[in-house]
Amino acid sequence: MRDILPDLRARCADGVPLALATVVAVHGSAPRDPGAVMAVDAAGTVVGSVSGGCVEGDLYEVAREVLAGAGPRVVAYGISDDEAFGVGLTCGGTIEVLVRRYVSAAELADLGALLNLIADDRPVAEATVLSGAAETGARLVVRPSDAGPTTGTLGSEGLDAAVTDDARGLLAQGHTTIQWYGAHGQRRMQEVAVFIRTYAPPPRMLVFGAIDHAAATARIGSFLGYRVTVCDARPAFATRERFPTADEVVRAWPHTYLESTEVDARTVICVLTHDPKFDVPLLLAALRTPAAYIGVMGSRRTHHDRLARLREAGADEAALARLASPVGLDLGARTPEETAVSIAAEVIQHRWGGTGRPLGELTGAIHHPGGPSGPR
């Protein structure tokens, strides 16, 4: 959704009717995750993608039918579908796509309000009925309990209450999924399928040490969708001019800044200082956080000495095992840019549970099930 936000917001503001096709489920290997969106407006213009080109042609026709009043529907494409080859899905796997329209001024205003929250990086979840004993396409927008009321309805007070509770829990974890309920929100029943799509603010990447490698790491972190902060205690190095792609550049002692800033289970920490007076207090602070990844630059000898210092400072073996050092995957990197790719590769591997080995040497699924620790 985020990749086509400007286009969607412009259409909502101008009152242009549109149909949204949203991936709600993926089985096996597929090119896009749940939440990927393609939009078709009243003029027939397409923005976004749900499969990287595999099924868009057929889905375009479905969206046009929905726009014309055929009603919301869930369509499936995959290698098990008799028509799969006809629509071009030769890459394997099965995807299920919800197609619904926004035509009236009220519907477009409602969608526009959701898009504005996403654009402002405010946490919000959207729950939509897919099938069962409730109206397909019925929609509920859920915000954190301290951020505003829900809007819309799924058809019953009990269902709205149960989905609101689950959506807030999923939002806190950054998860998107399908949940099943009874018609009135009863647990452990499978009468209503509800797709809950969460839009959490971008995860953070904290880069410590204002060196050339940090500039390259900040660039690739932004490219991957992280909100990047570069921190260094030296005013001559921690400048906006040296880190133009970072979301913020902080001049502070690294451990002091880390102890005062927000770190959650999706945060990535890259320690590129390799100076004991910075590293030890910083890493002790980092190990007290729930960060998803803590990567530390330095040679094997440097890391061995660093571990000894951390043990002396009270860090236990379980905590030390969280450190990824020397940072990055073995790509043979030499330049700062190549090193940044190596670091990014390890971050991605950690997020998705990959092996880090060449895909040509492996068998089985290419895409791994996702977790909550990275961008969505």
Side-chain angles (χ1 to χ4, degrees):
M1 177 77 83
R2 292 183 188 275
D3 53 345
I4 59 172
L5 266 179
D7 295 297
L8 295 181
R9 294 177 74 194
R11 284 164 172 77
C12 289
D14 293 341
V16 178
L18 55 86
L20 285 186
T22 305
V23 176
V24 297
V26 171
H27 309 283
S29 178
R32 300 294 302 272
D33 290 330
V37 170
M38 182 182 91
V40 179
D41 67 20
T45 303
V46 179
V47 294
S49 170
V50 298
S51 73
C54 294
V55 305
E56 273 71 5
D58 185 79
L59 195 56
Y60 174 83
E61 299 300 331
V62 175
R64 295 285 284 174
E65 292 173 6
V66 170
L67 262 178
R73 69 181 76 169
V74 176
V75 292
Y77 301 98
I79 56 175
S80 61
D81 189 332
D82 291 338
E83 297 178 346
F85 189 79
V87 300
L89 189 58
T90 59
C91 55
T94 302
I95 62 172
E96 296 179 31
V97 185
L98 169 68
V99 186
R100 61 156 297 166
R101 69 176 188 169
Y102 298 82
V103 175
S104 70
E107 289 171 336
L108 289 167
D110 188 37
L111 176 60
L114 171 65
L115 299 176
N116 290 339
L117 290 172
I118 298 169
D120 291 340
D121 286 336
R122 299 181 184 179
V124 62
E126 180 184 31
T128 309
V129 173
L130 300 181
S131 63
E135 182 183 355
T136 299
R139 181 170 166 272
L140 183 71
V141 175
V142 180
R143 301 183 64 186
S145 56
D146 60 350
T150 60
T151 58
T153 181
L154 302 182
S156 76
E157 184 176 340
L159 183 57
D160 287 350
V163 171
T164 295
D165 184 52
D166 287 347
R168 285 174 173 157
L170 290 167
L171 184 58
Q173 300 172 36
H175 279 310
T176 288
T177 190
I178 295 175
Q179 299 278 68
W180 287 87
Y181 304 88
H184 298 284
Q186 302 96 319
R187 306 289 182 176
R188 295 184 295 278
M189 297 184 69
Q190 296 194 0
E191 295 178 346
V192 182
V194 180
F195 177 61
I196 303 177
R197 172 69 166 109
T198 64
Y199 300 93
R204 302 189 69 189
M205 175 180 282
L206 306 179
V207 181
F208 294 97
I211 61 176
D212 289 345
H213 290 82
T217 301
R219 288 196 296 272
I220 202 166
S222 296
F223 177 76
L224 291 177
Y226 287 92
R227 183 175 182 271
V228 178
T229 297
V230 176
C231 176
D232 196 293
R234 301 167 296 177
F237 291 88
T239 66
R240 171 56 62 186
E241 291 74 21
R242 298 189 70 225
F243 301 97
T245 64
D247 293 281
E248 59 180 349
V249 179
V250 176
R251 299 171 185 172
W253 279 85
H255 73 281
T256 301
Y257 173 73
L258 184 58
E259 290 170 344
S260 65
T261 195
E262 181 179 355
V263 175
D264 62 22
R266 301 185 302 153
T267 301
V268 166
I269 297 175
C270 298
V271 178
L272 311 182
T273 51
H274 53 76
D275 182 332
K277 69 176 178 291
F278 291 117
D279 284 2
V280 172
L282 173 58
L283 290 174
L284 289 172
L287 291 171
R288 291 193 290 268
T289 73
Y293 171 89
I294 306 172
V296 194
M297 179 170 279
S299 68
R300 297 186 192 282
R301 180 175 178 177
T302 297
H303 185 56
H304 178 79
D305 293 342
R306 182 190 294 127
L307 290 177
R309 293 172 186 270
L310 289 168
R311 291 187 182 100
E312 290 175 3
D316 60 31
E317 296 305 313
L320 295 176
R322 295 178 61 197
L323 301 179
S325 183
V327 68
L329 297 187
D330 179 17
L331 304 182
R334 293 292 184 271
T335 67
E337 288 73 21
E338 290 174 346
T339 301
V341 171
S342 171
I343 294 171
E346 187 172 47
V347 169
I348 295 168
Q349 178 205 21
H350 188 86
R351 175 190 174 194
W352 296 108
T355 65
R357 294 172 55 196
L359 288 171
E361 295 179 357
L362 304 174
T363 59
I366 294 175
H367 302 285
H368 291 251
S373 58
R376 298 266 163 194

